[in-house]
Amino acid sequence: MRCCVLQHLAFEDLGTFAPILLEAGWTIQACHVADGLPDARDWRDADLCIVLGGPMGVHDGAAYPFLSRELELVRSRLGEGRPLLGICLGAQLMAQALGAAVYAGKAKEIGWGGLQLTEAGAASPLAALRGAPVLHWHGDTFDLPPATLLASTDITPHQAFQAGAGQLALQFHAEADAARMEHWLMGHACELAAAGLDVAAIRQDARDLGSRAAAAGQDFFRRWLTGVFTA
């Protein structure tokens, strides 16, 4: 089984999800978009594709031309009904590909916090995240496309949706490895300063909540993979 991953920043990687794939015998093909996107056949033939987060927005195509090609890859995967997981920017690209508007949220949502699961979310693998912390790190949000809403927060009503079988969008970072939090804090230093956020508080939350977040995130990902590939 092969997983093709689109990565936008070195430190925003598969995090705690990678060991789950490797333990199950998967091959991970990580493609950093700065070095080029995967060939259409590699993308189409992968058993699972994952689009990770990044600091750019879906409407930044003039500055980052790869986004239009990336959107087409996401759209093709959705249209073919193939397994796809979008995280943060990846979720926003999925929403856009499905015809939903993507725009600036009412506030930046950055830091460790929980989720409010819908009835559908509570009956899904996201049930593993009930009451657990996840990392939120975004300023944009989206309208709900033709899909099933799974999770919300007070700031961001559309935190997760399922578009089709094996097609899941997560605005939050259930994959984040708190042990690497310093990379996030340094890599996003300008954004954190501009938003006036307390870096020390985010760092301390990572220390206090990281183990619990990792356990819940891995439990969710295991359940999701099992449901998609053994159903």
Side-chain angles (χ1 to χ4, degrees):
M1 302 286 274
R2 180 170 60 88
C3 176
C4 184
V5 182
L6 297 190
Q7 188 171 342
H8 305 89
L9 290 174
F11 59 84
E12 288 199 36
D13 55 17
L14 278 177
T16 63
F17 288 180
I20 305 303
L21 288 168
L22 294 174
E23 287 165 10
W26 285 70
T27 297
I28 299 173
Q29 177 189 357
C31 302
H32 197 301
V33 297
D35 298 322
L37 291 165
D39 142 319
R41 175 177 288 182
D42 275 351
W43 178 260
R44 183 184 65 245
D45 292 346
D47 299 283
L48 170 64
C49 289
I50 300 179
V51 184
L52 296 172
M56 62 290 297
V58 299
H59 302 301
D60 292 338
Y64 302 99
F66 66 81
L67 283 169
S68 60
R69 171 67 179 140
E70 197 168 348
L71 178 63
E72 286 309 310
L73 290 175
V74 168
R75 185 176 283 124
S76 70
R77 193 86 185 173
L78 289 167
E80 292 165 4
R82 302 277 286 150
L84 174 68
L85 175 62
I87 297 174
C88 198
L89 175 60
Q92 293 162 16
L93 285 165
M94 287 177 67
Q96 184 184 37
L98 291 166
V102 182
Y103 47 89
K106 61 183 179 182
K108 281 190 178 292
E109 189 170 23
I110 297 178
W112 297 85
L115 295 166
Q116 300 153 15
L117 300 182
T118 65
E119 184 176 347
S124 79
L126 287 179
L129 301 177
R130 186 194 295 277
V134 297
L135 180 65
H136 298 282
W137 205 299
H138 66 96
D140 287 350
T141 188
F142 45 79
D143 290 337
L144 184 67
T148 302
L149 182 65
L150 301 177
S152 303
T153 59
D154 291 341
I155 293 175
T156 308
H158 302 148
Q159 279 280 359
F161 65 80
Q162 179 175 318
Q167 298 179 335
L168 180 65
L170 306 178
Q171 179 63 80
F172 54 91
H173 294 273
E175 86 292 354
D177 183 354
R180 292 178 54 78
M181 193 77 260
E182 205 63 30
H183 293 265
W184 289 67
L185 297 176
M186 293 171 66
H188 292 304
C190 293
E191 180 183 22
L192 291 167
L197 293 169
D198 187 339
V199 174
I202 298 172
R203 180 184 292 117
Q204 189 59 51
D205 282 346
R207 291 171 180 157
D208 294 342
L209 304 173
S211 295
R212 191 171 158 216
Q218 289 186 320
D219 186 13
F220 146 71
F221 191 52
R222 258 192 217 97
R223 293 189 198 187
W224 185 74
L225 277 178
T226 299
V228 172
F229 293 98
T230 61

